[in-house]
């Protein structure tokens, strides 16, 4: 099981050596709570924080008018939808797995979806500087 301080090395390994890291991930036990609390929540929160900072604070320097209240609301909604979306897509992946020769395993599907979102969560840090926000797509 991934310990708390392994978030950064895990994310780095998924980006830089995915084949090796996916083998390590496959060998780990399926622990949905740990996966959410130790990996998905911190990365989704960092993404939401980057969007808030970009919209409410730094965006003003670049001429993007942003109200702090709407930026905060947008960040909170984005954070929760990110976590809800992971759950929904993981259920869909588990449902579809047998149709592609796989096994319907909710835990494995959750690991797939959470760790597959790593690159997007990391790229979302570009939202801090609004002109670079397109790199988060």
């Amino acid at each position: 099981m991934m310990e708390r301080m392994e978030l950064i090395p895990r994310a780095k390994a998924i980006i830089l050596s995915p084949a090796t890291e996916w083998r390590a991930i496959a060998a780990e036990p399926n622990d949905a709570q740990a996966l959410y609390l130790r990996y998905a929540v911190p990365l989704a929160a960092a993404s939401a924080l980057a969007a808030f900072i970009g919209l409410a604070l730094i965006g003003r320097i670049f001429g993007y008018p942003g109200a702090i209240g709407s930026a905060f609301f947008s960040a909170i909604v984005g954070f929760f939808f990110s976590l809800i979306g992971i759950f929904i897509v993981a259920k869909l992946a588990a449902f579809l797995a047998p149709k592609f020769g796989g096994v319907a395993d909710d835990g494995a599907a959750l690991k797939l979806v959470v760790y597959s979102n790593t690159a997007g969560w990391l790229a979302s840090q570009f939202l801090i500087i609004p002109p670079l926000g397109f790199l988060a797509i």
Side-chain angles (χ1 to χ4, degrees), residues 4 8 12 16-17 30 42 45 47 54 56 80 90 112 119 124 128 132:
R4 184 170 187 225
I8 293 172
K12 180 180 175 185
L16 299 177
S17 56
N30 299 334
S47 177
F80 284 111
L112 170 70
S124 72
I128 290 175
L132 298 179

Side-chain angles (χ1 to χ4, degrees), residues 46-131:
S47 177
L49 181 62
F52 171 75
I53 291 170
L55 285 172
L57 307 174
I58 297 180
R60 293 173 187 242
I61 296 169
F62 293 99
Y64 294 95
I68 290 178
S70 63
F72 180 75
F73 180 75
S74 176
I76 295 297
V77 169
F79 171 75
F80 284 111
F81 279 162
S82 178
L83 297 178
I84 292 167
I86 286 170
F87 176 79
I88 293 169
V89 174
K91 289 293 186 185
L92 182 63
F95 173 75
L96 291 174
K99 293 168 180 35
F100 292 92
V103 177
D105 181 349
D106 286 342
L110 183 63
K111 287 195 303 188
L112 170 70
V113 174
V114 167
Y115 290 126
S116 294
N117 273 298
T118 299
W121 280 323
L122 295 178
S124 72
Q125 299 311 300
F126 286 113
L127 294 171
I128 290 175
I129 303 172

